[in-house]
């Protein structure tokens, strides 16, 4: 990546994304965060400069700077991504940690975070704006919908379908062929052996509705 990056969000996801960019020797120009307590501070020696809608800084996007959306909240990630596309014609770049393994035969959208030691296998598909935590695995032919989140160590089996804005907690296992609906939530450490409807929360081994 030739251009420096501006990261929107300076909390947990922003820290992880910053580490991913730095692991690849990508220059991060600054971070932006709406928390006034963070503004004027530094994160890993990179300044936190202003709000996530700072027009003066965002007008650098395009030829001079790239952007990554790293806010914790899924709705915020979606709205900021839409704003960037509509107002600045900017598409967020992917933040893939140097120690992640993403197959050349996998399909990735835009604005995804892929953490250290995570694996995205050949023929797997990851949409836009997803967060794939450290040591998570997305196996062959699995599909992860846009703005979904996979916790650290989550295992998404072959042919699994994870819906948009779904959440799969740390260490959870979704066995091959299962469908996780849009906005569904899978608790940490769960083993999912049956389909999960849209919006439902499941937990346990085997995972059941809660």
């Amino acid at each position: 990546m030739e251009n420096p990056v501006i990261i929107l969000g300076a909390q947990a996801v922003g820290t992880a994304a910053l580490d991913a960019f730095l692991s690849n020797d990508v220059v991060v120009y600054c971070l932006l965060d709406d928390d006034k307590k963070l503004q004027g501070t530094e994160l890993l020696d990179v300044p936190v400069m202003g709000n996530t809608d700072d027009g003066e800084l965002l007008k650098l996007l395009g030829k001079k700077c790239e952007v990554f959306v790293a806010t914790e909240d899924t709705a915020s990630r979606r709205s900021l991504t839409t704003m960037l596309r509509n107002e600045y014609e900017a598409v967020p770049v992917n933040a893939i940690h140097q120690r992640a393994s993403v197959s050349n035969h996998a399909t990735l959208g835009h604005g995804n975070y892929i953490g250290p030691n995570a694996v995205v296998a050949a023929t797997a598909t990851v949409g836009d704006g997803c967060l794939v935590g450290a040591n998570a695995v997305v196996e062959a032919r699995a599909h992860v919908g846009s703005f979904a989140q996979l916790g650290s160590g989550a295992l998404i089996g072959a042919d699994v379908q994870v819906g948009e804005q779904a959440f799969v907690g740390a260490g959870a296992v979704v066995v091959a062929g299962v469908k996780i609906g849009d906005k569904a939530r899978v608790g940490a450490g769960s083993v999912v052996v049956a389909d999960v409807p849209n919006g439902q929360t499941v937990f346990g081994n085997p995972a059941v509705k809660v």
Side-chain angles (χ1 to χ4, degrees):
M1 196 178 303
E2 295 181 3
N3 289 338
V5 178
I6 293 175
I7 297 176
L8 308 189
Q11 300 183 46
V13 177
T15 303
L18 175 58
D19 181 56
F21 286 122
L22 295 179
S23 77
N24 290 290
D25 296 322
V26 173
V27 174
V28 177
Y29 181 75
C30 69
L31 299 100
L32 303 178
D33 198 282
D34 296 334
D35 185 342
K36 298 249 187 285
K37 293 177 183 174
L38 294 175
Q39 295 170 12
T41 65
E42 289 188 346
L43 182 59
L44 305 182
D45 298 324
V46 177
V48 182
M49 296 183 72
N51 290 328
T52 53
D53 60 356
D54 188 317
E56 286 302 304
L57 288 167
L58 294 181
K59 71 182 181 183
L60 298 173
L61 300 180
K63 293 181 179 178
K64 294 183 179 178
C65 270
E66 306 291 350
V67 66
F68 182 83
V69 180
T71 53
E72 323 291 308
D73 178 63
T74 300
S76 172
R77 279 205 315 285
R78 287 185 71 206
S79 64
L80 283 170
T81 300
T82 301
M83 178 271 289
L84 290 167
R85 286 177 169 164
N86 292 344
E87 296 184 24
Y88 298 94
E89 297 183 353
V91 177
V93 294
N94 289 319
I96 302 174
H97 197 281
Q98 191 267 336
R99 294 203 315 273
S101 175
V102 178
S103 171
N104 291 333
H105 304 288
T107 302
L108 260 62
H110 302 284
N112 296 300
Y113 166 74
I114 312 292
N117 303 314
V119 175
V120 181
T123 67
T125 303
V126 178
D128 297 327
C130 296
L131 304 178
V132 179
N135 301 299
V137 176
V138 182
E139 293 190 343
R141 299 181 306 278
H143 175 81
V144 180
S146 294
F147 301 100
Q149 182 171 348
L150 310 180
S152 298
L155 173 59
I156 306 301
D159 297 300
V160 166
Q161 303 285 313
V162 177
E164 293 192 5
Q165 301 180 65
F167 174 86
V168 179
V173 175
V174 183
V175 303
V178 165
K179 293 182 180 179
I180 306 294
D182 295 344
K183 297 185 179 179
R185 299 181 65 82
V186 175
S190 297
V191 178
V192 185
V193 298
D195 292 353
V196 180
N198 293 346
Q200 192 171 99
T201 299
V202 299
F203 182 75
N205 180 8
V208 294
K209 181 181 177 181
V210 295

